[in-house]
Amino acid sequence: MSKSKWIVYLLVALLATGISATPADAQFWKKRKERRAARKHKHEQEAARASEAVAVTETPVDKKELRKRDKKERKRLKRAQRRLKHKSTGDTEEKYVKVKTPKTKKKKEVEYPPTQMKSVYRIDFLAALYLDELVKDGSLTFKDKIPDKAFPGISFYEGLNIAADSLRKAGYNVEIYVHDIASPKEAPQALISSGALDSADLIIGAFHSPDMPVVADYARKRMVNFVSALSPADGGIKDNQFFTMTQPSLKTHCEWIIDDVAKKFPGRNALLLHRAATQVDENAFNYINSYNDGNVHFKDVTLNGLPDRESLKPLLDSGETNIVVVSVIDPGFSDSLLLTLSAEFPATHFEVYGMPSWYVIDDIHEDGSLPNLSVNVTMPFNIDHTEAISKYVAKHFKSDYGGKASELVYRGYETLFWYATLLRQYGTIFNLNYSDITGAPFTKYEIKLRKDKDGNALYNENDHIYLYKYGSETATNKAD
């Protein structure tokens, strides 16, 4: 609407409301018209003078210089607008402060595809069995004892085979495919390249090797769950909600030890015996130090070899129990260290916390061998051999294979039975139902999604730890 039309509209509105113009009003409008005419004349004169000045002083300017001037003028106008905005908020200072908002990395949310319920589920089992070496022309190449390198995979498979028989009897429809990854034809990359795993609804791995990230990456791309049932190492895997470690990592064990010491011995000083002989020992020491936030007061002692009496004596208190945490993985060295503490300080009692690898140390299992030591060993699993299911596995193992079942046999049995139950109950994507451990006969699994320091998902890990306590007072007793 033009200005003249707007004035007409205003006058009509005034008349419509019964308001009439008075002589004073007429005088007002006359003076207003005169002021406008004077301003207009002044503006015309200023414009003429400006045009003359430009005509006299202006020099040729290239297009680049014009763009530069335009850009500078736009910046000036923006600064003026910001100052005007700043003044309108009631601030007294006429300045504008630009605050740069730090960019935050958006956390990637964990998402799962819809689960698939099937009448038959396929499970692919990967383990280093070394069958090409152990069996030649239909005959075994070894006598009595399975070679050490093949023992874990074969023992796990034996337990899995007993579980498969139990599942069939219980009416489960599960197809199990076994792959010997020690054979070049069935190495993980060969299986992936040939498409041998493409129909898998679940992959279970019982091996320690650099091939684990290869299988984990394949599982993530195919959106199928891959369970590492034997290795406590994550292999550097991250951003993979389809990868699960049923065995707690060394880091989880070390953190659990710190929590237990802080809870049972609040405010007490403790010795931390460590060595840097191997990377895994150094890792354990670093896990303990980085997790401990002052709840446990440590005196660090670096071991270049077995300590002597004179070096340890000033650090010990013969009048009370001495708490000792040992971040050494090697069972042989650790056994010698325990014997040294017991022999050199027979009148001093020690409460020792060791690594999960110490379970194989014979002296801690033998009553009276370490009379003044209580040895605490963290373990990821607990097999109660007095329960009916344990007796069932032991009986079938003796019948099928002869001899006594190892711990890995029970773990193989449990892994297949629990995961087959999860598949049957929840389908191929059971990850949100990991709290259901009704199908796990021995272990109270607590599978949790691990995250990095920024809150991004890494993988799933079981962090339930069992504490086995050995010593003269509580020999072979164990508790959660």
Side-chain angles (χ1 to χ4, degrees):
M1 183 182 293
S2 65
K3 187 177 292 184
S4 59
K5 289 184 179 180
W6 184 85
I7 294 174
V8 172
Y9 175 79
L10 179 59
L11 292 174
V12 171
L14 290 173
L15 291 172
T17 56
I19 301 176
S20 59
T22 64
D25 294 329
Q27 187 66 23
F28 166 79
W29 288 107
K30 181 180 179 180
K31 290 183 179 181
R32 182 177 181 183
K33 186 177 180 181
E34 292 174 352
R35 286 196 300 271
R36 284 186 176 179
R39 281 199 300 270
K40 182 178 179 182
H41 179 67
K42 183 180 179 181
H43 291 163
E44 289 175 351
Q45 289 180 332
E46 290 176 351
R49 286 195 295 269
S51 298
E52 292 174 0
V54 171
V56 173
T57 61
E58 188 177 49
T59 58
V61 180
D62 58 18
K63 293 182 178 180
K64 185 176 181 180
E65 184 65 24
L66 286 174
R67 286 196 296 270
K68 186 176 180 181
R69 289 183 184 180
D70 290 342
K71 185 177 180 181
K72 186 175 181 181
E73 181 63 18
R74 285 195 296 270
K75 287 184 177 180
R76 186 188 68 79
L77 291 174
K78 286 182 179 180
R79 286 195 297 269
Q81 290 172 351
R82 288 197 290 263
R83 284 196 296 269
L84 182 61
K85 182 179 179 181
H86 193 74
K87 291 174 73 175
S88 65
T89 59
D91 296 335
T92 56
E93 294 185 9
E94 294 185 13
K95 64 180 180 179
Y96 177 80
V97 180
K98 185 177 180 180
V99 179
K100 187 176 181 181
T101 305
K103 293 182 178 180
T104 56
K105 189 175 181 181
K106 186 177 180 181
K107 297 177 184 178
K108 187 175 181 180
E109 297 296 330
V110 176
E111 296 181 355
Y112 292 100
T115 191
Q116 297 181 45
M117 305 299 296
K118 298 184 176 182
S119 57
V120 179
Y121 293 97
R122 169 170 169 158
I123 300 176
D124 284 68
F125 173 66
L126 281 61
L129 304 175
Y130 298 95
L131 298 181
D132 292 343
E133 299 179 28
L134 302 182
V135 181
K136 297 287 187 181
D137 300 325
S139 300
L140 298 177
T141 60
F142 63 94
K143 295 181 180 180
D144 301 326
K145 184 181 178 183
I146 297 174
D148 291 342
K149 65 179 181 179
F151 181 79
I154 290 178
S155 296
F156 203 95
Y157 165 74
E158 291 167 341
L160 183 142
N161 200 34
I162 297 173
D165 183 62
S166 299
L167 292 171
R168 283 191 291 269
K169 292 177 181 177
Y172 284 67
N173 292 321
V174 179
E175 294 179 350
I176 302 169
Y177 291 77
V178 179
H179 306 279
D180 180 8
I181 64 170
S183 171
K185 295 180 180 179
E186 293 195 298
Q189 189 57 62
L191 292 172
I192 293 170
S193 299
S194 66
L197 302 177
D198 289 355
S199 298
D201 297 310
L202 172 66
I203 301 172
I204 297 176
F207 58 91
H208 300 271
S209 88
D211 292 319
M212 192 175 298
V214 175
V215 181
D217 185 61
Y218 168 82
R220 181 176 59 82
K221 291 176 180 177
R222 299 283 299 182
M223 292 188 287
V224 58
N225 279 297
F226 168 43
V227 177
S228 174
L230 193 60
S231 176
D234 59 31
I237 296 168
K238 58 184 179 180
D239 190 23
N240 193 338
Q241 68 269 37
F242 297 97
F243 174 63
T244 299
M245 293 169 51
T246 60
Q247 181 155 318
S249 64
L250 177 61
K251 180 175 182 289
T252 299
H253 280 276
C254 291
E255 292 175 353
W256 194 96
I257 288 172
I258 295 299
D259 287 338
D260 196 65
V261 172
K263 180 176 65 176
K264 293 179 179 176
F265 306 99
R268 293 281 305 279
N269 292 325
L271 287 181
L272 176 56
L273 306 183
H274 61 91
R275 63 175 189 168
T278 64
Q279 185 60 52
V280 68
D281 285 352
E282 187 71 14
N283 289 344
F285 174 67
N286 290 333
Y287 291 147
I288 291 173
N289 270 336
S290 61
Y291 182 75
N292 184 31
D293 57 0
N295 291 333
V296 180
H297 304 288
F298 280 122
K299 298 177 183 177
D300 292 350
V301 178
T302 302
L303 303 174
N304 296 317
L306 292 175
D308 55 39
R309 177 181 175 83
E310 296 306 316
S311 63
L312 287 180
K313 185 177 180 180
L315 303 175
L316 302 177
D317 187 341
S318 58
E320 63 178 20
T321 299
N322 290 266
I323 307 159
V324 181
V325 176
V326 185
S327 59
V328 177
I329 306 300
D330 178 21
F333 180 88
S334 301
D335 186 19
S336 298
L337 177 61
L338 294 175
L339 290 171
T340 299
L341 290 176
S342 181
E344 294 292 342
F345 303 95
T348 303
H349 186 263
F350 295 90
E351 190 79 25
V352 181
Y353 283 81
M355 298 290 104
S357 55
W358 289 20
Y359 181 74
V360 300
I361 297 177
D362 291 333
D363 285 319
I364 65 174
H365 295 273
E366 184 178 344
D367 291 347
S369 61
L370 303 168
N372 56 328
L373 271 66
S374 294
V375 182
N376 301 274
V377 179
T378 56
M379 288 291 292
F381 305 99
N382 174 42
I383 312 299
D384 188 346
H385 294 281
T386 64
E387 294 185 352
I389 187 64
S390 301
K391 293 179 179 179
Y392 171 86
V393 174
K395 177 182 177 181
H396 278 265
F397 181 86
K398 185 175 183 179
S399 174
D400 296 342
Y401 305 104
K404 183 179 180 181
S406 69
E407 179 193 290
L408 288 171
V409 173
Y410 293 94
R411 285 169 57 180
Y413 180 93
E414 177 172 65
T415 301
L416 178 59
F417 203 96
W418 182 39
Y419 276 95
T421 303
L422 289 175
L423 285 170
R424 188 186 196 187
Q425 186 70 25
Y426 304 106
T428 55
I429 305 299
F430 46 75
N431 305 65
L432 300 179
N433 302 99
Y434 258 135
S435 59
D436 186 353
I437 58 172
T438 54
F442 310 121
T443 306
K444 297 177 182 179
Y445 292 99
E446 293 182 24
I447 306 294
K448 295 180 180 178
L449 185 65
R450 290 288 180 230
K451 297 182 179 180
D452 62 17
K453 61 181 181 180
D454 296 322
N456 299 306
L458 296 174
Y459 49 80
N460 300 294
E461 180 190 345
N462 169 38
D463 70 355
H464 187 85
I465 302 290
Y466 291 89
L467 182 67
Y468 281 61
K469 192 177 185 69
Y470 305 91
S472 57
E473 298 176 358
T474 54
T476 64
N477 283 344
K478 53 184 177 292
D480 288 354

